[in-house]
Structure formats: structure tokens, C-alpha cells
């Protein structure tokens, strides 16, 4: 925009998370210069450094799409204490744990007896 005196005025522009992530990823390429990327995309260099910090802390992570995609699962070998003799009366397990990893975001370990409501709340917050 140009004001009445002919001086150029910048307009604040909204950038989506995907666009910020794209700009930040360009700055991580070998030989990339933040100042040059900033000029090319019309962004202040200091803003790109702030986005880089957000990217490294996971704030600019790609959103997890709600889908029915299968996730990789690793099953650990049962310990000797878990193996029961044939014919022995089976009792419900009172021990065990589940480890959930969101690469680059979080690692959750759920032990037996965990509060289901709390676990649901934690998983929902990571989904966003």
C-alpha cells in the first residue's frame, strides 16, 4: 500500500501453519540463508527465527489427520512371570504397560490402573 505522502506501508499478512513450516524447512536446507529466504517470501528475518524455534519445539508440526490409518505396533516378548502353565486358572492381569510414541512430539507410558479419563484427555490434547 502507498499512503498520501508516497511512502510504502507494509500490510500484515496471515500465514498458515503449512506456509510457515514450508518457509522454515527451506531455511534448514544446506547453504540456505535466512535473510535471503525472508526477502524472497516477504517476511522479516526475525519472524523466521521465531518460526524456527516454534518448529523445533513442535508447534509447527503437521496436524494429525483424523483417519483410520494403521499405526505400527511392537509387541514385547512376555516375561516368564506372564507365561502360565497349561491348565492353570487364568486370572486377569494386574500389571502391564503400554508405550505410545508420537515421533518428534511425545512419548507416553501407561501403566496398569491408569485413569481412563486422564489418558483420554492427554491423547486428545496431542491429537490437536
Amino acid at each position: 500500500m502507498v499512503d498520501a505522502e508516497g511512502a510504502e506501508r507494509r500490510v500484515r499478512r496471515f500465514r498458515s501453519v503449512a506456509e510457515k513450516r514450508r518457509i522454515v524447512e527451506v531455511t534448514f536446507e544446506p547453504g540456505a540463508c535466512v535473510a535471503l529466504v525472508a526477502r524472497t517470501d516477504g517476511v522479516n528475518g526475525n519472524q523466521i527465527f521465531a518460526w524456527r524455534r516454534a518448529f523445533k519445539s513442535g508447534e509447527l508440526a503437521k496436524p494429525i489427520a483424523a483417519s483410520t490409518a494403521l499405526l505400527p505396533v511392537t509387541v514385547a516378548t512376555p516375561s516368564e512371570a506372564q507365561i502360565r502353565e497349561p491348565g492353570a486358572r487364568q486370572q486377569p492381569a494386574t500389571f502391564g504397560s503400554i508405550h505410545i510414541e508420537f515421533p518428534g512430539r511425545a512419548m507416553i507410558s501407561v501403566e496398569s490402573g491408569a485413569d481412563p479419563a486422564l489418558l483420554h484427555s492427554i491423547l486428545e490434547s496431542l491429537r490437536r
Side-chain angles (χ1 to χ4, degrees), residues 106-118:
M107 172 89 151
I108 302 171
S109 294
V110 182
E111 302 297 326
S112 63
D115 179 12
L118 178 60

Side-chain angles (χ1 to χ4, degrees), residues 1-10:
M1 293 180 74
V2 178
D3 65 11
E5 297 175 8
E8 191 172 324
R9 194 176 96 195
R10 290 189 180 185

Side-chain angles (χ1 to χ4, degrees), residues 5-125:
E5 297 175 8
E8 191 172 324
R9 194 176 96 195
R10 290 189 180 185
V11 177
R12 184 173 288 211
R13 182 173 167 202
F14 173 79
R15 306 243 183 211
S16 68
V17 172
E19 189 174 6
K20 292 174 186 177
R21 191 174 44 252
R22 180 195 58 79
I23 292 170
V24 167
E25 287 171 349
V26 169
T27 67
F28 288 128
E29 292 176 2
C33 173
V34 172
L36 183 58
V37 172
R39 262 184 266 137
T40 302
D41 288 296
V43 180
N44 183 296
N46 291 327
Q47 181 65 66
I48 292 180
F49 282 109
W51 291 345
R52 285 169 57 119
R53 284 189 299 277
F55 182 86
K56 288 179 180 177
S57 70
E59 293 174 44
L60 296 182
K62 292 181 182 179
I64 299 172
S67 72
T68 57
L70 297 177
L71 300 173
V73 174
T74 305
V75 179
T77 308
S79 69
E80 289 182 24
Q82 293 173 312
I83 299 173
R84 302 193 188 276
E85 292 181 20
R89 188 168 164 248
Q90 295 244 340
Q91 295 178 354
T94 57
F95 57 90
S97 62
I98 299 172
H99 303 285
I100 304 168
E101 181 176 1
F102 294 92
R105 296 190 64 198
M107 172 89 151
I108 302 171
S109 294
V110 182
E111 302 297 326
S112 63
D115 179 12
L118 178 60
L119 179 59
H120 181 267
S121 175
I122 292 169
L123 293 175
E124 278 297 315
S125 71

